[in-house]
Amino acid sequence: MPQPQLTGPIRFGVFEVDPRSAVVRKHGTRIRLQDQPFRVLLALLEHPGEVVTREDLQRQVRPQSTFGDVDHSLNIAINKIRETLGDSAENPRFVETIPKRGYRFIAPVIAPVESLATLAGALPAALTTPETVRKSKWIPAGLVLAVLILIAATTIWLRPSSTPPEMQVRRLTHDSSPKFDPVLSDGARLYFRAGTRTDWHIFQVPLSGGEPVQLPVVLPTAKLCLLDVAPDGQELLLTASESIDSDPLWTMRLADGSRRRVGSLSALNARYSPDGNRIAFTAGRLGSGSLSVASRDGSNASRLFELKDFDIVDPCWSPDGQRIIFGRLNRTSESASTWEMMADGSRLRPLFPNWHESHLPAGWTPDGRLILVSQGRLWTAPFRRFLHGTPALPSPISPVEPRFDSPIQIRSGRSEYAVGSTRLGQLQRFDTGLKAWEPHLGGISAQTVEYSGDGQSVAYATYPERQICVWRVDGNRLVELTTRPMQAWIPRWSPDGKVIAFLGKSAIEQPERIYLVDAAGGSPRPACGTNCGPQGDFSWAPDGKTIVFAFPTVGPRAGAPTQDYLQLLEIDTGKVTKFFGSDGLYSPRWSPNGTVLAALADRGAMRKRALMRYHPSDGKWVEAAGPASGFVSWPSWSRDSKSIWYFNRLRGTIGRYLVHENRNEDALPLKPEELSGPTYWFNLTPNDEPMILRSRDIQEIYALDWK
């Protein structure tokens, strides 16, 4: 099949290439790439996944040169491309060397379908001029304002200034190996955990960055978690687990690798107090958490409080050591919120009850602001000295990429350190003939993929951009249905294939709503007015005139249990009514033949979910036999309406419920590396082959510099 020709802007990973203006951008920022390397990159992008011979690429370098000169110039151009993209020949993520043949671009590419071949030979003359690729320098426009705020802060000393500090992100490592938070510093080197899911080690790297080196120490077990470094920089605090029921707390001296148990303490998370004399630690599993404080040697342990149905995570001392901030995690809804209490266990309260996004505490900025982690970004908010009043809502201070998903260790100083992830995925399907996962649709970085009823088109959300696109499977047409600032996902085709409904929002603080857009293109429009309330996962009714969607009765407040029920939305009138008997149900799915409505229901706080089915003929909800235990999600009907497939994250399987036999079965086990998708999304192809988004994220160590 001939490869469809492409035109810009062309996107892959965090990069965007515009062939017409000869510009390469990373995270939206223009970066330098000279004339010859740019031409070679375009030639590779024109044939993603295919081998482009050295002879073909040499024509893009310098058509009139001798063979020796051209061959040398091509090598230089490839090296420049890899340097610009942060790639390597030994561990390629973008450009792969095919010995004695040429090169291949291996990352998923998203680009409009048009002609690219003509552009490679008609680049603007200004391309080779240094001024066209030089970065513009940005002068802080708020310098005067910052001075005024500083003056005001001297008179209003009870809280920090209202303008958040600026943060600059610097990449310190370039090896692309899996890494895990936290990143700990003794003032000279950084320490972090790296390796596989079952074989972890402690690595170190200089503060200035470089190649990570394994710390030459003998660990009590390969299943370890780094937690903190002592304020004097002499020892690491960690847990080393031999079983799922116990996480003994240890310390390890950095000077000689010697280790000791911290009394008889077991913990999930732990942090030293600012003076290093005490340890705050959390414990508990499976929906029951506690927060305690002990002396540094593990003695004098005192439990401050215990909470049922929630996990307590990420304790964090205030700079004066008087308060402890921590996260409260609801395992059922996977939502989190930040709380605080005095170090003696008094005055427990939520810090941001009006912030509807899940968030966890990280520490403090040099000027005394609280830092939080939410939606892969770092946020900050003024923090009051006295335990009254509600802090202002947080503001983001880190870029969208790289992504920071875990709390970071923030001490005093102008630089802190964390693991940042550059997000990238590869769409895969399970080939039932080969019994193996294979790249699907060219391995595009897309999630919530759904085929049209005739199987000729797919709608999907790009990852990580979350923009809705429609693509014909023959590659002849690509239509982008949404644009920034809207964030959208879960597109679903109407029964007639003319309209696509999806969940989206135009601002971070907004709740998601259901939108409608013509499949051929057009402007998205809300499916119902603002009086419809919050809207969740949904399904088209067989007649195409109604949408059934989940309605959370409590709302999306972080940490709060949700007790959804289903609502019916009439498309033409906008009328919304409650689906009778649907309390506690969500993720509705109509069968293709329109005879059964399926949905999920929570069964306690132990990550158990039941699959429910509703037959319009008798008007009753019935629980499927043998409720699937584990974190079950993404139910999907087979094309013949005889079975319901689902993703069971806890069991590590794709399961299937056979409707007529009224039984569940594990249809497809998954290896650990196949479970690493960014949203654990799952669906089926028209041939009932499972699809997943396989993570190709890259973890590196970053310095976070406060300006």
Side-chain angles (χ1 to χ4, degrees):
M1 177 184 296
Q3 172 71 28
Q5 295 181 321
L6 309 171
T7 186
I10 306 164
R11 296 194 298 271
F12 53 93
V14 299
F15 296 94
E16 181 177 279
V17 174
D18 189 341
R20 297 186 184 279
S21 59
V23 168
V24 180
R25 291 184 174 88
K26 178 180 180 181
H27 302 304
T29 301
R30 191 171 180 171
I31 58 178
R32 181 183 179 90
L33 187 62
Q34 295 90 344
D35 177 25
Q36 291 181 353
F38 190 86
R39 294 175 183 271
V40 173
L41 178 60
L42 287 186
L44 292 170
L45 289 172
E46 185 183 3
H47 303 282
E50 300 179 10
V51 177
V52 182
T53 66
R54 292 185 64 88
E55 291 75 14
D56 288 339
L57 293 175
Q58 287 166 358
R59 298 189 188 99
Q60 302 297 331
V61 175
R62 193 173 298 162
Q64 304 304 321
S65 299
T66 64
F67 175 79
D69 291 339
V70 172
D71 198 54
H72 179 66
S73 297
L74 177 58
N75 293 337
I76 294 177
I78 292 293
N79 290 336
K80 288 290 185 181
I81 292 172
R82 285 173 170 157
E83 180 181 346
T84 300
L85 302 182
D87 203 7
S88 69
E90 295 76 18
N91 187 25
R93 296 182 291 111
F94 299 106
V95 179
E96 178 186 26
T97 301
I98 308 300
K100 298 182 179 180
R101 294 182 61 193
Y103 300 91
R104 176 167 54 198
F105 197 88
I106 59 176
V109 173
I110 299 177
V113 177
E114 202 180 295
S115 173
L116 175 64
T118 57
L119 296 175
L123 297 176
L127 176 65
T128 57
T129 306
E131 285 74 14
T132 64
V133 291
R134 184 179 300 138
K135 279 189 177 180
S136 62
K137 297 183 179 179
W138 180 73
I139 301 176
L143 183 59
V144 176
L145 179 60
V147 173
L148 295 176
I149 292 175
L150 179 61
I151 296 174
T154 61
T155 58
I156 309 175
W157 66 275
L158 290 178
R159 55 187 175 187
S161 66
S162 58
T163 300
E166 297 178 32
M167 173 185 286
Q168 179 178 335
V169 177
R170 290 185 293 118
R171 183 173 173 177
L172 300 180
T173 60
H174 299 81
D175 61 307
S176 303
S177 63
K179 304 175 183 68
F180 303 89
D181 277 310
V183 179
L184 308 174
S185 172
D186 63 359
R189 304 186 69 80
L190 302 175
Y191 303 90
F192 58 93
R193 183 168 57 100
T196 66
R197 291 172 179 258
T198 57
D199 188 18
W200 296 332
H201 300 279
I202 299 176
F203 284 75
Q204 59 182 342
V205 70
L207 290 182
S208 58
E211 188 73 18
V213 177
Q214 184 175 334
L215 199 64
V217 296
V218 178
L219 302 173
T221 175
K223 298 179 181 179
L224 65 90
C225 287
L226 288 181
L227 300 177
D228 204 358
V229 61
D232 59 11
Q234 298 299 309
E235 62 184 23
L236 299 175
L237 187 64
L238 55 89
T239 58
S241 176
E242 295 289 355
S243 69
I244 192 172
D245 299 319
S246 177
D247 290 310
L249 199 59
W250 294 74
T251 61
M252 186 183 73
R253 286 184 55 81
L254 289 169
D256 56 14
S258 62
R259 60 187 188 276
R260 66 173 177 83
R261 284 279 280 114
V262 183
S264 59
L265 301 183
S266 292
L268 295 180
N269 307 106
R271 295 266 186 102
Y272 287 107
S273 60
D275 60 11
N277 294 327
R278 293 175 292 172
I279 295 175
F281 64 96
T282 66
R285 289 187 182 276
L286 298 176
S288 178
S290 64
L291 176 65
S292 304
V293 173
S295 299
R296 180 168 178 164
D297 61 2
S299 63
N300 304 315
S302 173
R303 179 171 294 180
L304 301 184
F305 83 105
E306 185 175 9
L307 193 61
K308 300 292 185 182
D309 299 328
F310 291 91
D311 288 347
I312 307 302
V313 297
D314 303 316
C316 183
W317 294 84
S318 62
D320 59 9
Q322 298 299 308
R323 302 179 304 280
I324 300 175
I325 314 298
F326 61 90
R328 191 186 77 166
L329 178 62
N330 184 334
R331 291 291 183 184
T332 300
S333 63
E334 293 198 325
S335 60
S337 56
T338 300
W339 293 62
E340 76 155 351
M341 69 188 325
M342 298 298 290
D344 61 5
S346 62
R347 298 188 178 183
L348 174 67
R349 68 158 185 165
L351 280 182
F352 304 100
N354 297 323
W355 195 24
H356 292 196
E357 298 291 345
S358 290
H359 54 281
L360 291 170
W364 277 264
T365 65
D367 68 350
R369 291 172 170 270
L370 184 62
I371 301 293
L372 304 113
V373 175
S374 177
Q375 308 165 77
R377 302 181 70 181
L378 299 178
W379 301 63
T380 184
F383 192 80
R384 300 177 185 270
R385 292 177 179 268
F386 295 117
L387 289 171
H388 59 75
T390 301
L393 290 180
S395 302
I397 55 173
S398 67
V400 176
E401 297 285 347
R403 183 179 180 89
F404 299 100
D405 287 302
S406 301
I408 60 177
Q409 308 296 86
I410 296 185
R411 301 290 188 186
S412 59
R414 308 305 301 182
S415 296
E416 309 300 337
Y417 307 92
V419 173
S421 295
T422 300
R423 295 177 293 171
L424 186 66
Q426 183 186 60
L427 183 65
Q428 295 189 352
R429 67 176 176 88
F430 188 79
D431 190 310
T432 55
L434 298 176
K435 304 296 182 184
W437 291 99
E438 297 290 332
H440 189 47
L441 300 180
I444 59 176
S445 186
Q447 60 181 335
T448 59
V449 179
E450 180 167 291
Y451 276 83
S452 57
D454 59 10
Q456 298 303 305
S457 299
V458 290
Y460 59 87
T462 59
Y463 175 80
E465 300 87 359
R466 285 185 65 167
Q467 298 297 308
I468 302 298
C469 297
V470 170
W471 188 18
R472 286 191 58 84
V473 295
D474 59 13
N476 286 332
R477 191 181 184 204
L478 174 71
V479 179
E480 297 183 354
L481 300 181
T482 61
T483 57
R484 296 175 181 173
M486 177 170 282
Q487 297 283 291
W489 70 326
I490 313 184
R492 301 203 190 281
W493 294 85
S494 61
D496 62 7
K498 296 180 179 180
V499 178
I500 291 176
F502 63 88
L503 285 178
K505 59 181 180 179
S506 297
I508 292 177
E509 65 276 6
Q510 294 178 352
E512 288 185 326
R513 302 175 62 188
I514 299 174
Y515 287 82
L516 303 175
V517 63
D518 293 340
S523 299
R525 55 195 183 277
C528 61
T530 56
N531 59 341
C532 292
Q535 298 152 44
D537 199 0
F538 66 95
S539 178
W540 285 90
D543 60 7
K545 299 178 180 179
T546 306
I547 288 177
V548 55
F549 66 91
F551 182 93
T553 57
V554 178
R557 178 165 49 88
T562 60
Q563 303 202 355
D564 302 1
Y565 60 85
L566 303 183
Q567 295 256 70
L568 293 172
L569 166 64
E570 296 180 9
I571 302 298
D572 292 339
T573 65
K575 181 181 178 181
V576 175
T577 56
K578 181 179 179 180
F579 197 113
F580 179 75
S582 65
D583 289 347
L585 302 184
Y586 54 95
S587 292
R589 299 288 190 274
W590 275 108
S591 60
N593 62 12
T595 61
V596 181
L597 176 63
L600 297 179
D602 286 330
R603 288 292 182 262
M606 304 293 287
R607 286 192 167 193
K608 290 186 177 180
R609 290 180 175 177
L611 185 64
M612 308 292 294
R613 51 192 174 91
Y614 174 84
H615 293 269
S617 58
D618 55 22
K620 295 180 180 180
W621 285 97
V622 179
E623 183 171 333
S629 62
F631 197 80
V632 177
S633 58
W634 300 105
S636 180
W637 283 93
S638 61
R639 286 279 166 154
D640 61 8
S641 300
K642 293 182 179 181
S643 60
I644 305 171
W645 297 61
Y646 52 83
F647 190 92
N648 193 327
R649 175 174 163 187
L650 193 62
R651 290 173 59 87
T653 62
I654 290 176
R656 179 170 55 193
Y657 171 69
L658 305 177
V659 177
H660 297 298
E661 298 180 29
N662 192 27
R663 66 180 179 89
N664 283 280
E665 64 179 10
D666 288 338
L668 180 63
L670 297 177
K671 298 177 182 178
E673 61 268 22
E674 294 163 352
L675 293 170
S676 57
T679 61
Y680 297 100
W681 160 83
F682 155 78
N683 204 354
L684 298 174
T685 69
N687 295 326
D688 289 342
E689 294 176 313
M691 293 184 293
I692 61 172
L693 180 60
R694 182 89 168 262
S695 176
R696 290 291 184 257
D697 291 357
I698 300 167
Q699 293 87 34
E700 300 292 2
I701 305 298
Y702 289 84
L704 313 174
D705 302 325
W706 303 106
K707 294 184 179 181

